[in-house]
Amino acid sequence: MNDVLQLKGRFEQKASANRPGAPTLAANQRVSVSHLESLKKDLLEMERFWENQVLLSGALISVYYNKVAAKSNRISGFLSKVKKANDTIVGAKFRENSEKHKHVITHFVTLQSVEHSIQSITRTIQILNDEFDGQVDTETFNNKENIAKIDFDFYGINKTLFQQIIVDASYVEKFDLGEGKFNTEKEAIVTLYDTNTDVKELLRKLGIRVSADRILDELTVLLDEDYLKILLREAPYLVAMAVEDFAQFSPTDFHEKFRESSFRISEPTNEPIIGVIDTLFDEHVYFSEWVEYRDMLDENIEKTANDMFHGTAVSSIIVDGPRLNPDLDDGCGNFKVRHFGVATAKAFSSFSIIKIIREIISQNRDIHVWNLSLGSNDEVNQNFISAEGAILDQIQFENDVIFVIAGTNKASTEPAKKIGAPADSLNSVVVNSVGINNQPALYTREGIVLEFFAKPDVSYYGGTPEKWMKVCEPLGEANVSGTSYAAPWISRKLSYLIDVMDLPREVAKAMLIDSAVGWENKTDWESIKLKGYGVVPQKIDDILKSKNDEIKFVISGVSEQYNTYNYRFPVPVADGKYPYIAKATMCYFPKTSRNQGVDYTNTELDLYFGRVKNDKGDIITINDNQQSMESEDHPMNEEEARKLFRKWDNVKHIGEVIRPKARAKKVYENKLWGMSIKTKERLQPRDGEGIRFGVVVTLREMNGVNRIEDFIQQCSLRGWLVNRLNVEQRIDVYQTAEETVEFE
């Protein structure tokens, strides 16, 4: 087996050379006066409605698109008098009851912008009637000569705005107030659209009074049933999201008590600590010395013995899972646990848990990996991330931590069911469960999140009737099953990679997912929605080692500008060819915006890896991804880009499929490979500035030859610092670093 290599070197930064040109119509488009008249009628109705209300100092207007709209396809002429239209977006969702995905994007704009848009579309209609016989198609509109002959001063509109209105209209079906269906039967966490108005003052105008302890952030409040009904009756257009607060746990009671525990365990020393946020913990179990327990529940909440079973079982796997389940020994040893009891076994308040988790993370900076095996029985919403998932994503963007979350369960007899909160957290590692045959367990629930994001991330063994998971509960050993018991095994592996092997969390997550994908490269929707990128190998050595015919290396960097690149990877040549099949996995932790709905991630990092073709730095990437290539025009449908290349997803896996008749690759003049990370922003231009990424690359030699020493030598000659991820050496370093030094 070969060691995985860690390459350290400098990535160069370069700003984007692309500059937007004149607006043009996409292929095979046609814009008619009748369509523009319809859009004008919509805007006039919006103007009438918002002029007659007193709650807001502006207008909330939803733009209904005829497709999944890329950022470049969003309106730029309409609603742009005071600010750019993209800067006024306050929400995005997909059309309900539609056969295909179509964006509905909500803006908060001034009435001046609405009036200006009405004037602009009126003048555009006049030009179409006078100059183009009432309609224009792609060929006619994109002909510069046809535009140049128009006297725009005569019509009272500038050329660019006219072009923008036409292009906008080709993507927009209508303007309206928006749509949304919310459950009004129970207390709910409600998020309002950002209307530059204090949320307490806005609700007070409607007769709704909320205390400070019921406000989560500047847009989100906890409302009881009566207040929620008032809000949805008087001003439903203010509500961006509403979710029930009290969530029933997803079922995890597939277990059978069988005998009192007879295990013993030595005292803890300098083992890594994993944080556990769960139900309560029983301090009488045999491994209790390994667990630092903190009860976070209000003292007035009634607690019973049943409240300790789930949390105790989860912590038992993290501390001593291999002893309880010898067949699943992962080689990671034992871990200490800092266990926070935040819920009873009956149900939990999302609002309360969100506040508690914030407090816990802020006060426990020494912990890098957190296990959260709590999950809701309710399905996640198709148009927005849960409040719990969003706060976990925010915490991970702001702190050097990573959450491992159970993928939630359903009853084995239930039909297919979407995963529950907080398993929709994008920055977290979400874990589903498989049986010993590596097939999804009957209780496994399904991703995808927000229709495009790949969740769960991975799968692992969580227990099935064929082979139960053994845990320690308050009454002794027990046989259990559920994603709750798959997640702790992944927490163990991540803590080993981060705390023992001293890898950045971005690299650790990439290595974990890359090991699950293997060489099968099954990243289609049907596969991912149940198993994620695959089943993580049992042994930690199978993540930290590669086969003798493989060169596997990890690299990390920071994105500062549009293009972060390095063109100095010296892949060994044999007989004038590159005899390799390649794959790569990248992970990063972007800033997210829950109020943007389905357009949740603010930053996109697009990965390119392959042979460097020329001195310009053009890369022949291993997955034929050409979305961002600057040298050519590669138009791609936004929905295709999200499906094929995971656009806007924070995990990217690219790879070649192993084929029996695969041929070695051509070697170009400079004999080097390159990596390029293209950074794109959805909202603010600097949301992704300083964002860290981790990439793991594997090169498999087609003829079974071990070329790793050649690769190491050539990397050193090219200025790379090469470290072997040698487990024994890293353990020695870790233990030495954790020793207490006593001075005489």
Side-chain angles (χ1 to χ4, degrees), residues 5-11 502-508 553-559 564 566 569 586-587 675 677 691-696 720:
L5 307 176
Q6 184 178 35
L7 301 190
K8 293 185 177 181
R10 179 180 175 181
F11 276 90
D502 196 29
L503 293 171
R505 59 174 181 163
E506 296 82 8
V507 170
F553 64 88
V554 299
I555 191 166
S556 59
V558 180
S559 168
T564 303
N566 188 303
F569 294 94
M586 177 178 70
C587 292
M675 181 181 293
I677 314 291
I691 194 167
R692 299 195 63 85
F693 58 85
V695 185
V696 52
W720 290 102

Side-chain angles (χ1 to χ4, degrees), residues 296-343:
M296 306 296 288
L297 284 181
D298 189 292
E299 60 183 14
N300 296 315
I301 295 177
E302 182 181 357
K303 303 166 189 175
T304 69
N306 286 337
D307 299 330
M308 299 182 180
F309 279 77
H310 187 270
T312 304
V314 167
S315 281
S316 74
I317 295 176
I318 291 177
V319 172
D320 207 22
R323 191 199 308 263
L324 292 162
N325 303 270
D327 292 345
L328 292 178
D329 188 355
D330 52 15
C332 295
N334 300 107
F335 293 84
K336 290 185 286 190
V337 165
R338 197 170 296 160
H339 186 120
F340 298 85
V342 301

Side-chain angles (χ1 to χ4, degrees), residues 578 611-614 620 666-672:
Y578 291 120
R611 293 166 291 162
V612 180
K613 185 177 180 179
N614 50 42
I620 303 178
K666 176 181 178 181
V667 175
Y668 290 96
E669 185 175 348
N670 63 11
K671 299 182 180 180
L672 292 171

Side-chain angles (χ1 to χ4, degrees), residues 88-150:
T88 66
I89 294 174
V90 294
K93 60 181 65 174
F94 291 128
R95 184 87 64 90
E96 295 181 8
N97 303 318
S98 176
E99 293 183 1
K100 57 180 287 190
H101 291 121
K102 296 180 180 181
H103 256 126
V104 179
I105 297 179
T106 302
H107 299 251
F108 181 66
V109 297
T110 64
L111 287 172
Q112 181 185 5
S113 286
V114 180
E115 181 182 0
H116 181 261
S117 293
I118 293 170
Q119 294 172 353
S120 299
I121 200 169
T122 299
R123 290 162 182 163
T124 300
I125 288 170
Q126 186 179 358
I127 293 175
L128 277 196
N129 280 326
D130 292 351
E131 307 287 345
F132 298 100
D133 295 326
Q135 65 179 9
V136 65
D137 58 21
T138 299
E139 183 178 356
T140 303
F141 182 78
N142 292 351
N143 188 325
K144 295 180 180 179
E145 294 181 359
N146 292 333
I147 303 299
K149 68 182 182 181
I150 300 172

Side-chain angles (χ1 to χ4, degrees), residues 373-431:
S373 286
L374 301 178
S376 171
N377 196 40
D378 297 326
E379 295 181 299
V380 296
N381 192 285
Q382 67 175 359
N383 278 319
F384 55 83
I385 294 291
S386 67
E388 305 98 304
I391 194 63
L392 295 179
D393 287 335
Q394 180 185 346
I395 288 170
Q396 288 170 104
F397 171 73
E398 295 172 349
N399 301 273
D400 186 22
V401 298
I402 186 168
F403 281 87
V404 179
I405 298 177
T408 64
N409 313 313
K410 66 178 181 68
S412 300
T413 55
E414 280 187 278
K417 188 175 184 179
K418 296 276 283 186
I419 58 177
D424 54 349
S425 165
L426 292 194
N427 280 334
S428 302
V429 174
V430 176
V431 186

Side-chain angles (χ1 to χ4, degrees), residues 527-555:
S527 177
I528 281 180
K529 73 179 184 180
L530 285 173
K531 295 173 66 175
Y533 285 96
V535 181
V536 177
Q538 176 182 325
K539 296 290 186 180
I540 193 67
D541 273 357
D542 290 333
I543 299 175
L544 285 167
K545 299 278 187 180
S546 63
K547 295 181 179 179
N548 288 334
D549 61 351
E550 293 178 351
I551 300 170
K552 180 177 288 189
F553 64 88
V554 299
I555 191 166

